[in-house]
Amino acid sequence: MFKKVLIANRSEIAVRIMRTCREMGIQTVAVYSEPDRKALHVVEAEEAFSIGPAEPSESYLNIERIIDVAKAAGVEAIHPGYGFLAEHPLFARACEDSGIVFIGPPSQVIENLGNKTLARTMMSRAEVPVIPGMLEATTDTTLLQKEADAMGYPIIIKAAAGGGGKGMRVVSASSEMPDACVSAISEAEKAFGDPSIYVEKCLERPRHVEIQILADSNGNAIHLFERECSIQRRHQKIIEETPSPALSPELRERMGEAAVKVAKTSGYVNAGTVEFLLEPSGNFYFLEVNTRLQVEHPITELTTGTDLVRHQLEIAAGSPLSLRQEELLQRGHAIECRIYAEDPAADFFPSPGKIIGYQEPTGPGVRVDSGVYEGYEVPMHYDPILSKLIVAAENRELARRRMIRALEDYRITGITTIIGFLLDVIRSVPFSRGDTFIDFVQTHFSGWKPDKDLVRAAAAAYLVDEMLGAPQPQVTVSQAGYPTPWQSLGAWTL
Ligand code: MV4
């Protein structure tokens, strides 16, 4: 096993990776940008190196600088976390070329799977169901029109180099195709430096269901069941759960087998996620492979009793998989809520700033993967995720109630968070029924505002405290959807 690993990331995921490293006796090296000098991942690491200014391109995306630090610190391997350089084939290649182990798949596999039409072609050859549509991308608008007309509308235009929803366009009539093609081509060129696009049949009201995979360098591959990730807004997931309320044991087995086929067909090594869209009919289709550890990996860990980061490290060190498919069980139910510093009443606009009061929920079945602490100033330069709240219980309804309890107990003041919004979603009838699909938030929660009575109760409590000369709780009425603001503030008052 490695003696020393560099974590080329920040925030909660860097901290989470370091925890497993420490348990395994691996020394950890952090890298940080200027505004991250006091970040939790810097505190948590055994060594930390400054890598540049706030701009990601000059720090967390600076391949040369990170490789230099890795050499100077004498690490044997780099864990990229998620985002930043995690799915960057050139970074994986730079590690390979420097004799440093990249904790992830080979650069060639990242590159192949990053090409969406190549991935579609590979998968359809392997008889993994892909969404009906073109297998070659093009800039020939006549050809695109012909294909779309033959398919029937609505169709969806996607960029060959796309992914994560960038450069996508839904077209509902033939007459809209010419304009849509021209603008999609120019957007693809600008965003990815590759103008080629292709057309797929647009699926209606699908769910987003993904399968966790692990593959070793000896060609063994297994899956660790599914995650239901339909609750999202603007292609950012906010709630994930497992098992999916939509899968029968038989469908789960077929999707798991398809995901293992994807792993074997692509020569996959390390942890990855195979994304599918699942139609109400039960038909599922390959979407793409995320060649990284994902934000929502903890729900799989809690229901399968595994540590995915440990498996990543073991696989990267060349060990064969220590788990067999037959011994894996899905036990109970887990839900994750992503805690973002954003204002849900203002189109989820980021709301970084100083965290004045901070208290995490604890108790049975509660896990918090956090990148922040009381007094920490959330920088404005990065993804505004603060932490992830993950709960596990014996079944879905118990997990849902546990999540409500834990969200109510989560105290964050000084900045606006989406906690109040998450509470309303988790408590809602469609969520409690498990009736989730990719337009869930838009359908049920567009124009959401915090409960006026809650805000007024918070204001009233504040005024009463002031009149009685009690210590002033640092709870501001501007904090959208602050949960149960009138309950005892106890240790919470400053
Ligand atoms: C689709 C689709 C409907 N039909 N493809 C969005 C991200 C990218 N990975 C693929 N995406 C979609 N592709 C067809 N043929 C709907 C989406 C989609 C979506 C997929 C997964 C999770 C959230 C989503 C939100 C909007 C649209």
Side-chain angles (χ1 to χ4, degrees):
M1 184 40 68
F2 312 117
K3 290 193 177 65
K4 204 175 189 182
V5 168
L6 183 146
I7 295 92
N9 216 299
R10 63 183 301 282
S11 189
E12 63 87 14
I13 194 63
V15 173
R16 187 264 166 269
I17 293 161
M18 288 173 195
R19 286 181 172 148
T20 290
C21 288
R22 270 179 52 208
E23 291 171 13
M24 295 174 71
I26 299 168
Q27 283 180 276
T28 55
V29 177
V31 291
Y32 63 95
S33 67
E34 210 46 60
D36 271 348
R37 193 166 286 277
K38 293 181 180 167
L40 195 54
H41 77 279
V42 175
V43 180
E44 199 78 14
E46 270 132 338
E47 285 173 68
F49 291 81
S50 165
I51 50 165
E55 286 72 22
S57 62
E58 294 184 55
S59 48
Y60 296 108
L61 291 173
N62 188 338
I63 295 178
E64 223 178 298
R65 183 89 181 96
I66 292 169
I67 299 280
D68 283 349
V69 167
K71 287 179 182 161
V75 304
E76 301 130 286
I78 299 182
H79 197 306
Y82 59 71
F84 296 120
L85 295 168
E87 299 185 89
H88 206 309
L90 292 180
F91 181 59
R93 178 137 330 131
C95 292
E96 291 159 7
D97 292 346
S98 315
I100 298 166
V101 176
F102 175 78
I103 302 169
S107 58
Q108 189 61 55
V109 174
I110 301 177
E111 190 173 326
N112 293 346
L113 292 171
N115 180 330
K116 303 304 158 193
T117 41
L118 176 60
R120 273 165 65 76
T121 306
M122 280 166 41
M123 297 319 153
S124 76
R125 288 207 184 120
E127 294 179 326
V128 174
V130 301
I131 302 171
M134 298 166 67
L135 292 176
E136 304 274 2
T138 179
T139 55
D140 179 347
T141 52
T142 319
L143 175 61
L144 290 158
Q145 177 98 43
K146 203 182 98 210
E147 294 273 357
D149 288 348
M151 231 172 268
Y153 294 85
I155 62 94
I156 193 160
I157 298 177
K158 294 184 179 181
K166 261 184 256 144
M168 271 182 21
R169 256 178 201 57
V170 176
V171 181
S172 39
S174 182
S175 61
E176 295 163 13
M177 268 302 276
D179 284 357
C181 288
V182 170
S183 73
I185 287 167
S186 109
E187 192 178 316
E189 167 77 76
K190 271 191 213 110
F192 312 111
D194 174 358
S196 47
I197 58 171
Y198 65 102
V199 163
E200 275 178 11
K201 186 87 193 131
C202 186
L203 306 183
E204 280 172 68
R205 264 182 77 107
R207 290 170 179 260
H208 176 154
V209 178
E210 59 186 30
I211 307 275
Q212 176 70 52
I213 57 168
L214 282 176
D216 66 20
S217 42
N218 306 326
N220 304 307
I222 58 170
H223 72 85
L224 291 89
F225 312 104
E226 81 279 12
R227 292 185 290 260
E228 162 84 52
C229 304
S230 297
I231 311 272
Q232 56 87 36
R233 35 88 192 167
R234 287 189 269 116
H235 302 291
Q236 278 262 40
K237 299 163 187 169
I238 52 175
I239 300 170
E240 304 95 351
E241 65 177 305
T242 184
S244 165
L247 298 201
S248 63
E250 178 265 339
L251 184 51
R252 175 169 299 117
E253 193 171 318
R254 282 198 292 129
M255 290 182 77
E257 278 168 9
V260 168
K261 213 186 268 182
V262 168
K264 294 200 164 156
T265 301
S266 59
Y268 205 86
V269 182
N270 216 287
T273 297
V274 185
E275 295 190 347
F276 295 97
L277 287 180
L278 172 65
E279 288 187 314
S281 64
N283 290 332
F284 65 88
Y285 304 94
F286 169 80
L287 203 49
E288 54 192 72
V289 181
N290 297 132
T291 57
R292 60 168 190 273
L293 180 71
Q294 288 194 272
V295 179
E296 60 271 27
H297 75 277
I299 58 173
T300 298
E301 295 185 322
L302 293 186
T303 47
T304 57
T306 55
D307 178 341
L308 289 171
V309 174
R310 182 170 64 84
H311 286 286
Q312 286 195 291
L313 288 158
E314 287 174 356
I315 290 166
S319 305
L321 270 178
S322 56
L323 284 168
R324 278 173 304 118
Q325 189 71 62
E326 312 78 67
E327 65 189 343
L328 275 165
L329 281 177
Q330 239 178 344
R331 198 185 158 96
H333 198 99
I335 306 176
E336 172 179 281
C337 283
R338 300 190 188 184
I339 312 299
Y340 282 101
E342 292 175 344
D343 186 353
D347 206 20
F348 296 94
F349 197 78
S351 66
K354 185 163 176 155
I355 297 177
I356 304 291
Y358 185 79
Q359 199 172 307
E360 290 175 356
T362 59
V366 175
R367 164 174 168 181
V368 182
D369 281 16
S370 167
V372 302
Y373 53 85
E374 191 165 285
Y376 175 69
E377 176 136 9
V378 182
M380 53 176 280
H381 311 87
Y382 311 107
D383 183 40
I385 195 166
L386 302 173
S387 69
K388 301 175 315 205
L389 170 56
I390 310 110
V391 303
E394 286 160 55
N395 61 43
R396 187 174 191 272
E397 180 55 15
L398 294 173
R400 193 181 73 87
R401 290 175 187 221
R402 182 160 281 171
M403 180 58 85
I404 293 169
R405 186 267 293 175
L407 283 167
E408 286 173 349
D409 282 351
Y410 210 151
R411 301 290 162 76
I412 304 175
T413 59
I415 58 174
T416 304
T417 75
I418 69 167
I419 289 175
F421 179 80
L422 291 165
L423 262 172
D424 278 5
V425 173
I426 298 282
R427 286 185 176 129
S428 72
V429 170
F431 182 84
S432 62
R433 286 190 182 141
D435 189 9
T436 54
F437 56 102
I438 62 175
D439 292 322
F440 183 96
V441 172
Q442 245 194 335
T443 304
H444 298 296
F445 287 90
S446 66
W448 180 91
K449 293 277 181 261
D451 185 332
K452 271 211 190 77
D453 290 341
L454 284 184
V455 175
R456 288 158 73 199
Y462 185 88
L463 291 173
V464 166
D465 275 358
E466 197 164 51
M467 270 159 41
L468 298 177
Q472 294 305 302
Q474 300 295 306
V475 177
T476 60
V477 291
S478 67
Q479 189 178 8
Y482 183 76
T484 59
W486 54 81
Q487 77 191 44
S488 164
L489 289 161
W492 195 222
T493 41
L494 295 177

